[in-house]
Amino acid sequence: MEELWPLPTPEVSDAIRSLCQRLLTDADALTGAIAAAALTTQYDPALLPDASLVEEDRHLNRSDLVQWLTSNIQQPGRRVEPYIGPRTTEYICDLVSRGIAPDFAEGWRVALGIGWRRWVEECVAYCADADLLVEVLDVSGKSLVQYALDSVAAMREASLAAAMGDANADAIALIQLIASGAPMTEDLAEGRLRYRLARQHVGLVLWTDDPQRANALDEAVADVRSASAGGSALIARATATSRWIWLSGSAIPDLHHIEKVVAKAENVRAAVGRPGRGLDGFRSSHQDALAAQALVVRLGSDRRFTAYADVELIDSITKDPASARRFVTKTLGPLAEADEAIRQALLTYVQCGFNTTRAAANLYAHRNTVERRVSRANELSAVKVEDNPTHVAAALLVLEIAPDITAATPC
């Protein structure tokens, strides 16, 4: 690429290289700060519950950050060429197919504000000499601003190319309109989607955390579709790593079959909404599935199958992870770090209506064993189950989904 400013001196180059090496070790934390702020400026807030979209955007932010840092380690202070790799290209195609037009310029403006402040802090801490500090900030500022301009131009070109080559955008855009609550008749939606709406629906999200496992994802989709025997299915490619699915029929589709399919599919996960009927059911079940997926991703859980009906309360409690962490710690105290079997015994005991015999049957354990575990769990718990069973059960459910939540950050 054409160089637009003089090359830095060897001393300035060494300083920039050292600073980039230091920041590269903290790339994940800096990416998190940038992505969280930039995401809300680029997209319609209604799209933010899609955890796959959020994750791909975070990956793009990290890729942009690492590209600039590594380029300045190799050639400090030079103009950096944006890298639009295969994963980024697929991500842009996914956005276009869903009718999403991000404001890349606004996203970069926000990202630059956060990134530049951190860069200045690092420069001030590193450069004891004022003249060196001025030169480093001058050269790096030019490089960073030009990188933002070049990146915005490259992303816009990629978006235009994707829009020209997308023949399925109309159907995806219609699904997006229905899911977002736009007024629409069932007849119109059925005709456009070729999918019956005047019946029971279950919305699902299937996704993988590994972009290289897209084939396994599509195989799982085919197996899940068989759960709608006698009914119909609608499949939408939401992103390169996720699929939106609706199953419908005269009866509610078999969720146990779906859970078995996911259990057999390597690196594939599923979130399932509550059943609903008609156009409203189509919409609400999909929103449930998205919320369940977002919960699992937000908490860093390795859970493979999540039904929103089972985690709706936990979703409300964990909207703020730090608050959820405090809630679990304050409620359970030492029990939060106890053996999982002890916690599970207490949770099952509460869920079985404080019936030890039923709890023992559900746990496939002897009644006396369950009694001992429940007693020990209640001794360890900061809040006693007889005082507030709702809080204790909710805290135990949070730990069941995200076992490491209390270890993430001290309260």
Side-chain angles (χ1 to χ4, degrees):
M1 299 184 75
E2 179 187 1
E3 295 295 343
L4 302 178
W5 55 86
L7 297 181
T9 65
E11 187 180 15
V12 172
S13 294
D14 288 342
I16 292 175
R17 181 181 292 109
S18 297
L19 286 162
C20 288
Q21 288 171 334
R22 289 170 59 177
L23 277 178
L24 194 58
T25 63
D26 196 32
D28 287 338
L30 185 52
T31 296
I34 291 172
L39 187 67
T40 56
T41 66
Q42 293 187 83
Y43 304 115
D44 184 326
L47 298 170
L48 298 183
D50 186 343
S52 293
L53 176 67
V54 172
E55 178 59 23
E56 288 304 300
D57 186 81
R58 189 203 66 79
H59 177 271
L60 175 60
N61 276 279
R62 190 182 192 284
S63 177
D64 287 339
L65 174 63
V66 170
Q67 173 73 357
W68 189 80
L69 291 174
T70 54
S71 295
N72 273 275
I73 290 171
Q74 296 166 1
Q75 295 181 314
R78 303 282 187 92
R79 185 178 182 182
V80 176
E81 183 171 4
Y83 173 66
I84 307 294
R87 184 168 178 179
T88 300
T89 301
E90 285 195 346
Y91 171 59
I92 292 172
C93 289
D94 292 335
L95 295 180
V96 169
S97 71
R98 291 165 60 183
I100 304 171
D103 188 343
F104 294 120
E106 181 63 15
W108 262 100
R109 182 191 66 77
V110 174
L112 276 176
I114 296 172
W116 179 248
R117 180 179 178 85
R118 175 65 185 278
W119 178 255
V120 170
E121 290 172 349
E122 294 291 335
C123 289
V124 169
Y126 180 87
C127 301
D129 180 81
D131 291 336
L132 176 62
L133 174 62
V134 170
E135 288 298 317
V136 168
L137 291 175
D138 180 52
V139 174
S140 59
K142 291 173 181 174
S143 175
L144 193 54
V145 169
Q146 189 61 46
Y147 180 55
L149 294 173
D150 291 338
S151 295
V152 170
M155 294 293 283
R156 283 175 173 167
E157 288 182 11
S159 295
L160 179 60
M164 294 175 64
D166 186 12
N168 196 42
D170 186 55
I172 299 298
L174 181 65
I175 291 172
Q176 194 70 50
L177 283 173
I178 296 171
S180 64
M184 188 172 302
T185 65
E186 283 190 0
D187 289 344
L188 174 62
E190 284 188 351
R192 296 271 296 275
L193 296 175
R194 298 180 181 178
Y195 173 79
R196 291 186 61 186
L197 289 166
R199 46 167 53 183
Q200 290 282 348
H201 305 277
V202 169
L204 302 90
V205 177
L206 256 64
W207 81 99
T208 177
D209 298 319
D210 182 0
Q212 304 302 317
R213 301 293 300 176
N215 290 339
L217 180 61
D218 289 329
E219 290 172 6
V221 168
D223 290 338
V224 165
R225 188 168 190 165
S226 67
S228 191
S232 59
L234 178 64
I235 315 293
R237 184 187 188 278
T239 71
T241 58
S242 67
R243 305 290 183 267
W244 292 348
I245 305 173
W246 288 262
L247 302 177
S248 71
S250 55
I252 298 172
D254 185 0
L255 298 188
H256 293 297
H257 172 79
I258 298 169
E259 187 170 5
K260 290 177 182 178
V261 167
V262 173
K264 292 189 296 183
E266 187 179 357
N267 294 321
V268 174
R269 303 208 267 173
V272 184
R274 292 167 296 193
R277 186 174 182 82
L279 193 61
D280 286 341
F282 179 93
R283 178 185 299 116
S284 64
S285 192
H286 175 61
Q287 291 170 339
D288 283 353
L290 286 177
Q293 182 198 21
L295 166 70
V296 169
V297 173
R298 181 172 70 241
L299 296 182
S301 173
D302 59 2
R303 196 178 176 104
R304 297 283 304 282
F305 180 87
T306 305
Y308 188 67
D310 295 337
V311 299
E312 184 175 11
L313 174 62
I314 307 309
D315 184 37
S316 300
I317 292 173
T318 60
K319 293 293 187 185
D320 175 12
S323 176
R325 194 176 302 122
R326 288 193 298 272
F327 170 72
V328 171
T329 303
K330 301 291 186 186
T331 302
L332 300 183
L335 179 58
E337 307 299 329
D339 185 85
E340 183 181 354
I342 294 177
R343 298 200 306 264
Q344 189 60 49
L346 182 59
L347 176 59
T348 306
Y349 174 67
V350 176
Q351 291 174 328
C352 290
F354 308 99
N355 187 310
T356 308
T357 302
R358 285 176 55 199
N362 286 356
L363 292 169
Y364 301 100
H366 193 280
R367 190 177 189 279
N368 291 343
T369 301
V370 173
E371 285 182 344
R372 287 196 301 271
R373 290 175 179 173
V374 167
S375 177
R376 178 57 179 158
N378 207 29
E379 288 175 8
L380 293 172
S381 183
V383 175
K384 304 308 176 187
V385 70
E386 62 269 17
D387 295 333
N388 199 329
T390 302
H391 277 206
V392 172
L396 288 169
L397 281 169
V398 173
L399 270 184
E400 185 178 57
I401 295 171
D404 298 328
I405 191 169
T406 57
T409 303
C411 294

